[in-house]
Amino acid sequence: MSVVQPKILLALSLAAMTAALGGCTTYKPAPKAFNEATIQPYTLDSGDRLRITVFDQQSLTNTYTVDQAGYVAFPLIGQVPARGRTLQQLSGQIAQKLQQGYLRDPDVTIDVDRYRSVFIMGEVGQPGQYAYVPGMTVQNAIAVAGGFTSRANQRMVDVTRKINGQVLTGRINISGPIIAGDTIYVRERLF
């Protein structure tokens, strides 16, 4: 009888460990499109602030924000769709609309004045919303958020990213790059 109890305890502990480790595999590695998004040209979305310059047109040159619906309100031509477009695509669109009865040959350039924020949650010193800087990695973002807590998993994090209108979540290494608008979740380590 005493030999049976250790076998039962061993079986129960193996079952408990399998269940605990099974929870670790609920997130699959980031899909290919997830990683490719970091090397694609920057696409605009709500919260981006743009510096739009129209050559020789001081009254049109200004700072504009992509609104919640994904549009830029531009003088003379009204709402211009910006969400999902690159800076080149948007400048071409604005120039084309200005050419329709307002300017003969408009020269429009666009720079990002301020990128949309990144959000950092979980086991960091100060979770919250932070400014994005081009070239930022997960580790840089965590440093801005006060670093890891003592309970944090310091190797892998979950990143939620919007790609082509689809929201995807993937687990990546802390040295991995992030893009504007990402949400970073630092999990608690198991042991």
Side-chain angles (χ1 to χ4, degrees):
M1 182 99 167
S2 63
V3 173
V4 174
Q5 285 179 345
K7 286 184 180 180
I8 292 174
L9 287 174
L10 180 63
L12 287 174
S13 63
L14 282 174
M17 285 180 16
T18 303
L21 292 175
C24 294
T25 60
T26 56
Y27 280 92
K28 295 178 183 172
K32 188 175 179 182
F34 192 87
N35 294 321
E36 288 175 355
T38 61
I39 58 171
Q40 298 299 320
Y42 185 73
T43 56
L44 299 167
D45 208 342
S46 299
D48 286 327
R49 188 169 65 195
L50 310 172
R51 176 76 180 159
I52 302 177
T53 306
V54 182
F55 183 71
D56 265 353
Q57 299 295 320
Q58 290 301 321
S59 61
L60 297 177
T61 298
N62 207 342
T63 303
Y64 301 89
T65 302
V66 179
D67 67 17
Q68 200 64 19
Y71 290 86
V72 172
F74 200 80
L76 302 176
I77 59 175
Q79 300 280 48
V80 181
R83 177 175 285 143
R85 291 183 170 69
T86 64
L87 298 175
Q88 263 187 323
Q89 291 170 334
L90 183 61
S91 66
Q93 213 174 3
I94 291 172
Q96 182 183 30
K97 287 187 175 211
L98 286 172
Q99 221 169 3
Q100 298 171 352
Y102 300 105
L103 298 174
R104 186 172 302 166
D105 190 22
D107 183 9
V108 179
T109 58
I110 302 176
D111 295 309
V112 178
D113 186 55
R114 186 189 71 217
Y115 292 89
R116 58 191 178 274
S117 302
V118 294
F119 303 88
I120 307 167
M121 307 179 340
E123 296 297 325
V124 292
Q126 299 172 328
Q129 176 179 345
Y130 293 93
Y132 171 78
V133 178
M136 191 175 240
T137 65
V138 171
Q139 193 169 24
N140 299 142
I142 290 169
V144 170
F148 292 111
T149 66
S150 60
R151 295 183 311 262
N153 177 348
Q154 297 185 18
R155 294 180 345 143
M156 302 291 276
V157 298
D158 295 332
V159 175
T160 302
R161 177 175 296 159
K162 190 176 186 182
I163 304 170
N164 298 328
Q166 208 177 13
V167 178
L168 301 174
T169 298
R171 187 163 288 169
I172 65 172
N173 193 305
I174 64 165
S175 63
I178 60 171
I179 59 177
D182 279 357
T183 299
I184 300 166
Y185 181 72
V186 179
R187 296 186 163 285
E188 189 173 345
R189 61 185 158 83
L190 292 176
F191 303 99

